[in-house]
Amino acid sequence: MSIKNNIQLFSDSLQGACRLVAVSKVQPIEKLHEAYEAGQRIFGENKVQEMEQKYHVLPKDIEWHMIGHLQTNKVKYIAPFVSLIHSVDSVKLLDEINKQGKKANQIIPCLLQIYIANEETKFGFSEEEALNLLTDYPSFSNVQIVGLMGMATFTDNQEQIRNEFKVLKKLFERLKAMNLPPQVVMKELSMGMSADYKIAVEEGSTLIRVGSALFGERNYPNKI
Ligand SMILES: *Cc1c(COP(=O)(O)O)cnc(C)c1O
C-alpha cells in the first residue's frame, strides 16, 4: 500500500467526523511530501527540533501538531507556528506556552493530556487535576484550551482500551457541560493511534494520531 492509498482510505472511512493527524516523527521529508500531495494537511511530531526543521522545508499551509511530551525550555521554538499542542501535561507548561504565545503574538490552541492508561510511565493530568485546573482557571490570554488528549494502555485487551477511551469521553462531556471560562472550549478529543484508532473513532474521537499504519514502520536511525 502506498502512502497515497492509505491517506485516501482514511479520508473515505472517517468522512469528516474525525480528522487524521499524520504522525510523521522519524519519517523522512519525502514521505511527508507524498502525504501532502495526497491531500494530507495535518502532521504530528513529538520532537521540537525535528518539527521545526520539517516546518521550514514543507509548504506553509500545513498544520503542525505537537503530540509528544514538551519541555518548557523548548516551547519558544514552536510558539510562532504550532497549530495545536496535544500534550499539555502540567500547569507550568501551560504558563510557559502562554508566555511564549504572548511573545510570538499568537493564541496557541492546546489540549490537556489526561492520564487514562494503566501504566506508570504516561504523562498527563488526572481527572481531578483537570477539573481543578478548569474550575479555577488562570487568565492565560495567549492559550486556548480546545479539548483533551489521551493514550490508552499498550495492550491487546480491546475491552480495556475501549473502557479507557470511554473514561476520557465521559470526562470530555462532563467538562463540556460545565460553566467554562471563555478561553476554554471543549471541542476536540484526541484519542486513537495505529493499533486502536478504530475503537477510538467508535468512542467519539475527533482527532486520531496515526503514524505506522500510514507511513509504515518507523526506522529509528540510532537503533541497531
Ligand atoms: C508516535 C505516536 C503516535 C502514533 O503512533 P503509531 O502507533 O505509529 O500510530 C500517536 N500519538 C503519540 C503521542 C505518539 O507519540
mmCIF file of all heavy atoms in Angstrom, residues 23 25 46 67-68 149 151 193-195 209-213 218, ligand 1:
data_model
loop_
_atom_site.group_PDB
_atom_site.id
_atom_site.type_symbol
_atom_site.label_atom_id
_atom_site.label_comp_id
_atom_site.label_asym_id
_atom_site.label_seq_id
_atom_site.Cartn_x
_atom_site.Cartn_y
_atom_site.Cartn_z
ATOM 1 N N VAL A 23 1.090 11.162 11.839
ATOM 2 C CA VAL A 23 2.237 11.221 12.757
ATOM 3 C C VAL A 23 3.507 10.880 11.983
ATOM 4 O O VAL A 23 3.776 9.735 11.649
ATOM 5 C CB VAL A 23 2.033 10.284 13.966
ATOM 6 C CG1 VAL A 23 3.278 10.267 14.843
ATOM 7 C CG2 VAL A 23 0.818 10.735 14.774
ATOM 8 N N LYS A 25 6.744 11.662 12.782
ATOM 9 C CA LYS A 25 8.020 11.617 13.520
ATOM 10 C C LYS A 25 8.926 10.540 12.930
ATOM 11 O O LYS A 25 8.451 9.464 12.556
ATOM 12 C CB LYS A 25 7.756 11.334 14.998
ATOM 13 C CG LYS A 25 7.079 10.005 15.280
ATOM 14 C CD LYS A 25 6.709 9.859 16.742
ATOM 15 C CE LYS A 25 6.115 8.481 17.001
ATOM 16 N NZ LYS A 25 5.410 8.413 18.284
ATOM 17 N N ASN A 46 6.750 14.681 17.552
ATOM 18 C CA ASN A 46 6.926 14.647 19.003
ATOM 19 C C ASN A 46 8.248 15.251 19.475
ATOM 20 O O ASN A 46 8.539 15.238 20.651
ATOM 21 C CB ASN A 46 6.749 13.225 19.536
ATOM 22 C CG ASN A 46 7.879 12.314 19.137
ATOM 23 O OD1 ASN A 46 8.614 12.606 18.190
ATOM 24 N ND2 ASN A 46 8.036 11.211 19.837
ATOM 25 N N ILE A 67 2.660 16.429 19.490
ATOM 26 C CA ILE A 67 1.930 15.355 20.174
ATOM 27 C C ILE A 67 2.731 14.726 21.309
ATOM 28 O O ILE A 67 2.208 13.930 22.066
ATOM 29 C CB ILE A 67 1.499 14.246 19.180
ATOM 30 C CG1 ILE A 67 2.722 13.589 18.530
ATOM 31 C CG2 ILE A 67 0.557 14.794 18.110
ATOM 32 C CD1 ILE A 67 2.390 12.297 17.793
ATOM 33 N N GLY A 68 4.017 15.063 21.418
ATOM 34 C CA GLY A 68 4.864 14.411 22.419
ATOM 35 C C GLY A 68 5.110 15.299 23.623
ATOM 36 O O GLY A 68 4.799 16.493 23.602
ATOM 37 N N MET A 149 -6.675 15.149 25.339
ATOM 38 C CA MET A 149 -5.946 14.088 24.631
ATOM 39 C C MET A 149 -5.657 12.958 25.604
ATOM 40 O O MET A 149 -5.472 13.212 26.795
ATOM 41 C CB MET A 149 -4.617 14.661 24.098
ATOM 42 C CG MET A 149 -3.772 13.679 23.316
ATOM 43 S SD MET A 149 -2.610 12.728 24.315
ATOM 44 C CE MET A 149 -1.103 13.018 23.408
ATOM 45 N N MET A 151 -3.923 8.676 25.868
ATOM 46 C CA MET A 151 -3.342 7.470 25.263
ATOM 47 C C MET A 151 -3.755 6.257 26.083
ATOM 48 O O MET A 151 -3.563 6.233 27.298
ATOM 49 C CB MET A 151 -1.812 7.561 25.268
ATOM 50 C CG MET A 151 -1.262 8.551 24.262
ATOM 51 S SD MET A 151 0.484 8.834 24.543
ATOM 52 C CE MET A 151 1.178 7.446 23.649
ATOM 53 N N MET A 193 -4.516 5.658 18.008
ATOM 54 C CA MET A 193 -3.275 5.561 17.251
ATOM 55 C C MET A 193 -3.425 4.374 16.283
ATOM 56 O O MET A 193 -4.515 3.838 16.147
ATOM 57 C CB MET A 193 -2.088 5.326 18.203
ATOM 58 C CG MET A 193 -2.110 6.303 19.345
ATOM 59 S SD MET A 193 -0.860 6.208 20.654
ATOM 60 C CE MET A 193 0.513 5.326 19.995
ATOM 61 N N SER A 194 -2.336 3.981 15.622
ATOM 62 C CA SER A 194 -2.462 2.923 14.607
ATOM 63 C C SER A 194 -3.185 1.679 15.124
ATOM 64 O O SER A 194 -4.042 1.123 14.443
ATOM 65 C CB SER A 194 -1.081 2.508 14.086
ATOM 66 O OG SER A 194 -0.533 3.563 13.338
ATOM 67 N N ALA A 195 -2.838 1.255 16.325
ATOM 68 C CA ALA A 195 -3.368 -0.009 16.831
ATOM 69 C C ALA A 195 -4.801 0.093 17.343
ATOM 70 O O ALA A 195 -5.493 -0.923 17.439
ATOM 71 C CB ALA A 195 -2.463 -0.541 17.942
ATOM 72 N N ARG A 209 -4.384 10.064 15.883
ATOM 73 C CA ARG A 209 -2.958 10.312 15.623
ATOM 74 C C ARG A 209 -2.341 9.026 15.089
ATOM 75 O O ARG A 209 -2.050 8.111 15.853
ATOM 76 C CB ARG A 209 -2.262 10.729 16.921
ATOM 77 C CG ARG A 209 -2.959 11.861 17.683
ATOM 78 C CD ARG A 209 -2.216 12.149 18.985
ATOM 79 N NE ARG A 209 -2.001 10.937 19.768
ATOM 80 C CZ ARG A 209 -2.850 10.469 20.674
ATOM 81 N NH1 ARG A 209 -3.962 11.092 20.964
ATOM 82 N NH2 ARG A 209 -2.567 9.343 21.322
ATOM 83 N N VAL A 210 -2.170 8.942 13.782
ATOM 84 C CA VAL A 210 -1.756 7.679 13.173
ATOM 85 C C VAL A 210 -0.413 7.811 12.460
ATOM 86 O O VAL A 210 -0.254 8.671 11.593
ATOM 87 C CB VAL A 210 -2.838 7.177 12.195
ATOM 88 C CG1 VAL A 210 -2.398 5.880 11.539
ATOM 89 C CG2 VAL A 210 -4.168 6.987 12.911
ATOM 90 N N GLY A 211 0.523 6.982 12.853
ATOM 91 C CA GLY A 211 1.854 7.000 12.242
ATOM 92 C C GLY A 211 2.110 5.778 11.388
ATOM 93 O O GLY A 211 1.990 5.813 10.164
ATOM 94 N N SER A 212 2.431 4.666 12.033
ATOM 95 C CA SER A 212 2.893 3.482 11.297
ATOM 96 C C SER A 212 1.854 2.911 10.330
ATOM 97 O O SER A 212 2.218 2.416 9.264
ATOM 98 C CB SER A 212 3.399 2.415 12.266
ATOM 99 O OG SER A 212 2.577 2.322 13.394
ATOM 100 N N ALA A 213 0.581 2.998 10.650
ATOM 101 C CA ALA A 213 -0.442 2.474 9.735
ATOM 102 C C ALA A 213 -0.524 3.293 8.441
ATOM 103 O O ALA A 213 -1.090 2.848 7.455
ATOM 104 C CB ALA A 213 -1.814 2.449 10.416
ATOM 105 N N ARG A 218 8.438 2.830 11.643
ATOM 106 C CA ARG A 218 9.456 3.877 11.752
ATOM 107 C C ARG A 218 10.837 3.238 11.845
ATOM 108 O O ARG A 218 11.038 2.292 12.597
ATOM 109 C CB ARG A 218 9.213 4.725 13.012
ATOM 110 C CG ARG A 218 8.071 5.686 12.872
ATOM 111 C CD ARG A 218 7.869 6.488 14.135
ATOM 112 N NE ARG A 218 7.286 5.704 15.201
ATOM 113 C CZ ARG A 218 5.973 5.482 15.350
ATOM 114 N NH1 ARG A 218 5.111 5.998 14.503
ATOM 115 N NH2 ARG A 218 5.526 4.761 16.338
HETATM 116 C C1 LIG B 1 4.100 8.010 17.840
HETATM 117 C C2 LIG B 1 2.814 8.489 18.408
HETATM 118 C C3 LIG B 1 1.603 8.187 17.774
HETATM 119 C C4 LIG B 1 1.483 7.332 16.529
HETATM 120 O O1 LIG B 1 1.842 6.010 16.791
HETATM 121 P P1 LIG B 1 1.548 4.850 15.728
HETATM 122 O O2 LIG B 1 1.403 3.647 16.557
HETATM 123 O O3 LIG B 1 2.710 4.808 14.813
HETATM 124 O O4 LIG B 1 0.283 5.211 15.023
HETATM 125 C C5 LIG B 1 0.448 8.723 18.324
HETATM 126 N N1 LIG B 1 0.470 9.502 19.431
HETATM 127 C C6 LIG B 1 1.623 9.791 20.059
HETATM 128 C C7 LIG B 1 1.568 10.640 21.275
HETATM 129 C C8 LIG B 1 2.831 9.295 19.578
HETATM 130 O O5 LIG B 1 3.956 9.590 20.226
#
